[in-house]
Amino acid sequence: MKKVLFINCILLIFGLSVFGQKTNSDLKQLQKEIGSSAPITANDVSFPASKPIKIFLAIKHNKNSAKDFVNWAAKWNQENAAKYGELQIVDKLEDADIAAVQFQYGATRVVREEAIKLKVGTVQRDDDNINKKDKFVLNSIGNSNVRAESSAVNLKLPLYSYLIVRDQNSSWAVDYSRVDERLNNKIFPELLLQSAIEDRLKNR
């Protein structure tokens, strides 16, 4: 519980974040950052069932974050390997089943935030002689009651996080991705990837 609350606090400290950074240019930059000659796709992929899971680390924005990731993997193996599977850090991408990647790229990142607004109405009713107003959503899709909006947001000093999984044909597929606005150097962004890996290990 404490860890979940801590990670939620981290997300608030990060400021703005956007999931799903998997455009062609994003994937090309990711491929460049990890030095992969194999293509990286946005295709759906299953988390590997192999034991141990061999993981390549490309935590490039901060040496301490990379070291903390190694320490986390060692702690995971002590406490959870018997039940959920062991993690083995490997030095070469071609030896890995998955790769955890974090890097900073560019001074700003323009992203778009999509939102759908629904018109909310009220209705009067009497229950037990008490006058109440119930809120309800007008669910007429395709008319003025439903409106989609999009706004552009600038993320400063964007930090990209990816969890990629080796596909059957030796290419790579993105299983988790996000970009955050990096506000300061007192945060621990590797916790985001660690949490994603833990969830997948426990649910495979």
Side-chain angles (χ1 to χ4, degrees), residues 30 83 182:
L30 171 59
K83 185 174 182 179
R182 183 71 182 269

Side-chain angles (χ1 to χ4, degrees), residues 5 7 19 28 34 37 44 50 62 68 82 94 96 99 110 120 128 136 163 179 183 187 196:
L5 292 174
I7 291 176
F19 287 89
K28 287 180 180 178
I34 64 174
S37 58
D44 290 336
S50 57
N62 187 299
D68 289 343
E94 54 265 31
V110 178
V120 177
D128 298 326
F136 66 98
L163 177 61
V179 57
L183 298 181
I187 53 180

